Amino acid sequence: MKSPVRVAVTGAAGQIGYSLLFRIASGEMLGKDQPVILQMLELPMEKAQAALKGVMMELEDCAFPLLAGMVGTDDAEVAFKDADIALLVGARPRGPGMERKDLLLENAKIFTAQGAALNKVASRDVKVLVVGNPANTNAYIAMKSAPDLPAKNFTAMLRLDHNRALSQLASKAGVPIGDIRKLVVWGNHSPTMYPDYRFATANGESLKDKVNDADWNANEFIPQVGKRGAAIIEARGLSSAASAANAAIDHIRDWVLGSNGEWVTMGVPSDGSYGIPEGIIYGVPVITEGGEYKRVEGLEIDAFSRERMDRTLAELEEEREGVAHLL
Ligand code: NAI
């Protein structure tokens, strides 16, 4: 039996946590032969800690053979101790009357503290995925607050957007989702993101040529993928949780176990390519292998794409400026 991997999950008693933890413990994220220890963080409030206790009782009641241990805590340094993987899900939601700027600053406090705790106690190879919004900028803040850890190990979740785009494209093109290759969602996890299927294929056939509908791309596909989160809230009265947890599992599984040569979208610190300033956490196409991701390089960026990529970049730069004084 392999030795257990320590997986830290913050916001463990929340909606996404409830859809995520059981799948991690059953082996869906790291493989059916990989034991895990779950290290769960929640707010110190009595209600949050009681809810976390309840989740841990249910995890026990599943009798997962791969669940080698559990820790529930309100202390980030306990949750992140020797963590190999950290899923930062817990974040401050937008309250009534709260401006976007206030939301950014409230979350900046959380992610500077959590970045510092990771820096202090996590495995030196910890792979960090930030799910809590604003995910890209929260990942940037955590990365900047953890100077002793490799910057490349801080990532943000664009995979839900990638999966949403896959599903919509499959339906429009009339091809099975599993046949689609080479799709990407550039930029910020926000309505400014740019889902791009110019390079996408199904069984070797170009989907841009097959769909051949620039109007659908500009006026339906791009805005619908970008606003899908809001449409889920409108329909369900709650934000996406099961699909978000599913995307987090996809992201980490591919990062750790490899994407078998396929493109996947990850929000990663820019190396300066594609005109994205170094360090900005931006959704790009990557191929993963041996626990590392590698950007897909040299893609042609046409004028339509450049405009959209710059728009989502401008938003990320504005967010970065909004928190610069804290870092
Ligand atoms: P939720 O409100 O149900 O759960 C969040 C949990 O985090 C709560 O139990 C809360 O007590 C806890 N929490 C808050 N601050 C914390 C902190 N500093 N340390 C530890 N725990 C803390 O929210 P839900 O639905 O689970 O969503 C979580 C986050 O994920 C939100 O920020 C949401 O906007 C974001 N999200 C991101 C997506 C993406 O694609 N990147 C998709 C869907 C949601």
Side-chain angles (χ1 to χ4, degrees):
M1 199 66 160
K2 293 177 170 175
S3 55
V5 166
R6 292 181 177 272
V7 181
V9 178
T10 74
Q15 282 205 92
I16 295 176
Y18 198 70
S19 293
L20 180 63
L21 293 163
F22 299 85
R23 294 185 61 189
I24 299 173
S26 74
E28 284 184 61
M29 186 169 82
L30 298 173
K32 298 284 181 188
D33 60 346
Q34 178 58 65
V36 292
I37 296 173
L38 287 172
Q39 305 187 161
M40 294 165 277
L41 183 70
E42 256 301 337
L43 291 173
M45 277 76 103
E46 209 174 301
K47 211 172 151 201
Q49 287 297 315
L52 177 57
K53 200 162 280 165
V55 171
M56 292 173 74
M57 287 160 68
E58 285 203 73
L59 280 162
E60 263 173 30
D61 294 350
C62 292
F64 290 119
L66 290 172
L67 186 56
M70 276 195 275
V71 177
T73 179
D74 62 3
D75 182 344
E77 289 188 17
V78 173
F80 297 152
K81 179 80 183 133
D82 299 326
D84 301 296
I85 291 166
L87 296 158
L88 308 188
V89 179
R92 176 77 194 268
R94 196 173 190 143
M98 204 170 169
E99 297 283 329
R100 192 180 145 83
K101 195 165 154 255
D102 303 327
L103 181 74
L104 200 62
L105 291 176
E106 285 301 318
N107 278 295
K109 283 187 214 152
I110 295 175
F111 287 85
T112 42
Q114 293 190 353
L118 285 164
N119 195 53
K120 195 165 164 198
V121 300
S123 156
R124 299 300 85 183
D125 298 320
V126 63
K127 288 180 162 59
V128 182
L129 169 62
V130 177
V131 175
N133 280 319
N136 297 51
T137 297
N138 288 343
Y140 175 79
I141 294 165
M143 174 184 84
K144 287 288 177 193
S145 308
D148 303 327
L149 296 173
K152 69 176 170 56
N153 288 17
F154 286 81
T155 67
M157 192 163 93
L158 270 293
R159 186 60 177 263
L160 178 54
D161 311 304
H162 180 103
N163 288 347
R164 285 167 171 166
L166 271 178
S167 199
Q168 300 218 7
L169 180 59
S171 155
K172 172 74 177 175
V175 297
I177 289 179
D179 287 356
I180 300 182
R181 306 281 175 270
K182 298 189 173 176
L183 181 72
V184 57
V185 181
W186 302 96
N188 198 7
H189 170 69
S190 90
T192 64
M193 72 182 80
Y194 170 42
D196 179 6
Y197 68 96
R198 290 175 304 137
F199 311 102
T201 60
N203 292 316
E205 185 186 7
S206 158
L207 290 180
K208 183 167 182 261
D209 292 348
K210 185 170 167 88
V211 169
N212 192 23
D213 190 343
D215 184 56
W216 175 78
N217 183 38
N219 300 315
E220 288 185 47
F221 178 65
I222 295 173
Q224 268 175 20
V225 174
K227 293 183 190 146
R228 184 70 165 184
I232 304 279
I233 295 177
E234 169 100 23
R236 214 171 78 88
L238 288 168
S239 66
S240 341
S243 55
N246 180 66
I249 284 176
D250 285 351
H251 179 115
I252 296 289
R253 186 199 56 230
D254 286 345
W255 192 359
V256 174
L257 301 176
S259 66
N260 299 315
E262 304 300 345
W263 295 16
V264 290
T265 303
M266 285 171 70
V268 301
S270 178
D271 63 352
S273 55
Y274 295 118
I276 306 151
E278 214 174 319
I280 292 257
I281 307 256
Y282 195 98
V284 293
V286 299
I287 293 172
T288 52
E289 197 185 345
E292 301 289 338
Y293 59 81
K294 234 180 115 204
R295 270 172 208 78
V296 177
E297 287 170 355
L299 298 172
E300 195 198 316
I301 306 299
D302 59 18
F304 178 90
S305 302
R306 186 77 265 162
E307 197 209 320
R308 274 155 187 79
M309 287 170 70
D310 285 349
R311 191 186 305 164
T312 189
L313 172 62
E315 184 181 50
L316 283 167
E317 287 182 310
E318 197 184 301
E319 290 180 11
R320 183 177 65 171
E321 271 162 38
V323 298
H325 63 289
L326 297 169
L327 302 175

